[in-house]
Amino acid sequence: MRARVASAIAAILISLAPLAASAADTAEMNSHWTFAPFVGYHVFDEQWGTGVHRYPDLQPKEGIHLGARLGYVWAGGLGLELAGGYTPTTLDSLDTELGDMTWMYGSANLIYSPAMGRFGSPFLSAGFGGGTLSYDGLPADGRINFVSVGGDSSDDSFNMGVLDMAAGWTLPLGEKLGLRLEARNLLWIPNENFDNANVAQQIYGAALTWGMGGSKPKDDDGDGVSNKRDKCPATPAGATVNADGCPTDADGDGVFDGLDQCANTPKGARVNASGCPTDADGDKVWDGLDKCEGTPAGATVNADGCPTDADGDGVFDGLDQCPNSPTGSTVDAKGCPMDSDGDGVSDGLDKCPGTASGLKVDAEGCPIEVSERETELLDTGMIRLQDINFETGKSDLLPESYGTLDIVGQLLTKWPELKIEIGGHTDSRGSNAANQQLSESRANSVKEYLLGKFTGLNASQYSTKGYGELKPVAPNTSAINMSKNRRVEFVVLNKDVLKKEQERRKLLQK
């Protein structure tokens, strides 16, 4: 019998060993207490009668066993456990019930129980304790004579040592609750003759086991939510999670709370790996919210991150060194108005660009003389210049004439539709033929100068004609009169172009 029991226990240990190793890989547990009320079925050894007393035909009935287990398990699965219980039954002889019998035992055991895995955990235990038999009835001769095998006995009880071995499996019912299935072998041990330990009994049953204290459910990603409840395994270390174990992101920037070093990032802003908003152009409007990314450094921007230009000169505020430039003026890279001809009126607003140096101009940048010449043009349909000087007897212009011709050139630039005849006139000195030739040459010189200086003039709309001494404006009787006759006249050939402006001026006068 002892060999059969030993073989059975060995088989159980061998079969559960790989399962124990497997379970140990699937969970972890801290040191904790366990308590388990136990209900089982007690099977007594068939050699009971010869091993305990002199009546081999006496045998306890198999019956219900009630007990409990209290243990303390350290991290790693090794622990100590107290086991105990009792079995109320009857003692029979040849199918005759002799009386009630109670079996009780208690033991202290080493137990090894790997941490709870998905499918539970095996356990093994072994230890020593003691058992007691007590009889409430007597056999026919009124006495049971116990064999002296080292135990303590009396007429109605018997005490003996117990070698306790058990194996089983605990199935998880929750994080702390489990169902424990157990097979336990109790071998009676004589105090003085260990070799006579030949009476064994088995208890098979189940218990609800409750873990108290340091049990720790498996949590592979360390987020505080056990694998069983974690709907988002592999959460990054340090991330804050909800009750389901899923990372939270309160500001919706894609970086989990707990890892986000800049919480409450505005919605839509782009962030770096730390969850902090980026501002590539440094305008203090976050990327992703910046509608004008790539703003030049130093430019003033609005709430959308777009540069402002209060004076509308094309140079952004903050970079504009001359804010409040007049609308329409041409500016340089610094936002300052340009004045190419130096007349005090900005380019873009100057209606007479290229004004000769030193000339006084009006608000539109035109020399005051230009305005006077324009009035002459509108009133008479012509411009008469009597201060155009040439080399004596030649058609070469003298430099002192350039300024006067520039005034006319600027004025004619304002009137691109006019068709102009440039007429040359002389005094009466010299022959008619010579004066005729000289006047024609001088008219051509004036035309060449104007078209060369003012490239916007259309050459096809300008013609020249020499009048010699034929049309004097004063008698050639004095030097003053002759200087008046030496002149250049710009005569409008299509005077209808001037009518609209003439009528506007008359209306303003009224």
Side-chain angles (χ1 to χ4, degrees), residues 187-210:
L187 181 65
W188 287 64
I189 302 176
N191 293 340
E192 298 177 357
N193 190 355
F194 182 82
D195 291 339
N196 289 332
N198 61 354
V199 177
Q201 51 199 308
Q202 291 79 44
I203 301 173
Y204 307 96
L208 282 177
T209 179
W210 178 261

Side-chain angles (χ1 to χ4, degrees), residues 116-262:
M116 192 73 71
R118 180 178 178 184
F119 299 105
S121 172
F123 70 88
L124 304 171
S125 73
F128 293 93
T132 298
L133 291 173
S134 61
Y135 297 91
D136 293 332
L138 294 175
D141 58 3
R143 181 179 181 85
I144 296 179
N145 296 313
F146 292 100
V147 178
S148 179
V149 289
D152 298 325
S153 64
S154 65
D155 290 345
D156 57 1
S157 66
F158 183 79
N159 302 320
M160 185 170 286
V162 173
L163 173 61
D164 187 348
M165 299 178 65
W169 193 275
T170 302
L171 299 172
L173 300 179
E175 290 187 2
K176 295 182 178 294
L177 187 65
L179 176 62
R180 171 168 167 162
L181 304 178
E182 176 183 302
R184 185 173 295 270
N185 185 79
L186 301 173
L187 181 65
W188 287 64
I189 302 176
N191 293 340
E192 298 177 357
N193 190 355
F194 182 82
D195 291 339
N196 289 332
N198 61 354
V199 177
Q201 51 199 308
Q202 291 79 44
I203 301 173
Y204 307 96
L208 282 177
T209 179
W210 178 261
M212 299 172 287
S215 60
K216 182 179 180 182
K218 184 70 172 178
D219 180 13
D220 288 335
D221 56 9
D223 60 1
V225 179
S226 65
N227 291 352
K228 183 177 180 180
R229 296 189 298 109
D230 199 337
K231 295 181 179 179
C232 298
T235 296
T240 303
V241 299
N242 58 21
D244 293 328
C246 293
T248 59
D249 181 13
D251 56 10
D253 62 0
V255 178
F256 299 141
D257 299 336
L259 302 176
D260 195 337
Q261 297 181 17
C262 297

